[in-house]
Amino acid sequence: MRDRREMPGLNTASVADISFTLLILFLVVTSIDTEKGIRRRLPPSVPDKQQNMDQEVAARNVMRIRLLSDNTLTIDGDAAAFSDIKPRVMRFVENPANADDLPEKVLSNIPLLGYLPVTEKHVIQLTAERDADYQSWFSVQNEIVAAYAQLRDDFTQKHFGLHYTACSDRQKEAARACYPQRVAEEYIRQKGGGL
C-alpha cells in the first residue's frame, strides 16, 4: 500500500508583510490635496459692554471694494479692473501726501523706530454678492494681501535695509504696526440688498 503524503500548504506568513509594505508605499507616494485658503487672524474678543457700541468710521478712512454677481468690480463706486486693486490699496493705506480724501494719519509708536505718522484707522470694506464666483473672490483677496506685503517690504527695505521675509520678528512687528491689515468682509444676496 502506498504511503499517503499530504500536500504541503502555501506559506502565507509573508503576505501580511508585503501588504503593509505596499500600503506604506502607496501612502508615501500618493499626493493628497489639502484645502487651500486665506490665512486670517480673527479679531480679539470684545467685552460684552463694548459689543453693543457702534463704531463710527470717518468716510475718508473707508475704501469700498465690491465684487458684483457678474464678477465685475467697483472701487468706491467706480468700475475697476482686478489689476487696479493693488496700486489703489497701496495708495489708500499709505496716503503718502496726507491727502484729505484718503485716511487720516496719526502719530503712532512703532517698535524700534519711535513715533511715525500712519493710517491706523483705515478700513478696506470688501463686499461680495453671493453669485460671484470663488476664483474672483480669491483674486480680490490676493491683490489686497499683495498690496500690504509690498508696503511692508518697502518699509523694511527703507528702515532696516532688508526684505520683509529676511527681517527679525521685531522688525516685522514694526512693519505690521505701520501697515496694519484692516479688512472688513461682507456678503450680500443681491444688488443693494442685504443678507
Side-chain angles (χ1 to χ4, degrees), residues 104-157:
E104 59 188 317
K105 288 193 164 197
V106 295
L107 285 178
S108 183
N109 191 5
I110 305 298
L112 303 176
L113 298 173
Y115 286 91
L116 294 175
V118 299
T119 59
E120 67 181 22
K121 295 180 181 180
H122 77 273
V123 175
I124 297 173
Q125 180 184 10
L126 177 54
T127 304
E129 293 180 0
R130 290 263 184 213
D131 294 335
D133 68 34
Y134 286 116
Q135 185 57 44
S136 298
W137 174 255
F138 287 124
S139 296
V140 172
Q141 289 279 349
N142 286 340
E143 290 296 314
I144 293 171
V145 169
Y148 280 102
Q150 183 68 50
L151 286 168
R152 291 171 180 174
D153 191 62
D154 293 347
F155 176 85
T156 57
Q157 286 187 46

Side-chain angles (χ1 to χ4, degrees), residues 28-58:
V28 170
V29 298
T30 302
S31 64
I32 299 172
D33 289 336
T34 57
E35 290 186 28
K36 294 179 180 150
I38 299 173
R39 290 180 53 168
R40 287 281 183 255
R41 181 184 298 163
L42 294 174
S45 63
V46 179
D48 291 338
K49 292 179 183 178
Q50 293 180 356
Q51 280 183 344
N52 295 330
M53 296 173 60
D54 290 333
Q55 183 178 11
E56 292 184 25
V57 179

Side-chain angles (χ1 to χ4, degrees), residues 142-193:
N142 286 340
E143 290 296 314
I144 293 171
V145 169
Y148 280 102
Q150 183 68 50
L151 286 168
R152 291 171 180 174
D153 191 62
D154 293 347
F155 176 85
T156 57
Q157 286 187 46
K158 177 182 175 183
H159 292 282
F160 307 120
L162 297 168
H163 287 285
Y164 181 80
T165 55
C167 287
S168 69
D169 289 342
R170 291 278 291 156
Q171 292 168 330
K172 287 180 181 179
E173 180 186 346
R176 287 190 304 268
C178 193
Y179 298 109
Q181 188 168 326
R182 299 178 49 125
V183 179
E185 299 173 4
E186 176 185 27
Y187 305 95
I188 58 174
R189 288 199 177 145
Q190 56 192 351
K191 292 181 181 179

Side-chain angles (χ1 to χ4, degrees), residues 8-42:
L10 291 174
N11 185 0
T12 59
S14 64
V15 172
D17 294 336
I18 293 171
S19 298
F20 285 120
T21 303
L22 288 174
L23 179 63
I24 290 170
L25 178 67
F26 174 74
L27 290 174
V28 170
V29 298
T30 302
S31 64
I32 299 172
D33 289 336
T34 57
E35 290 186 28
K36 294 179 180 150
I38 299 173
R39 290 180 53 168
R40 287 281 183 255
R41 181 184 298 163
L42 294 174

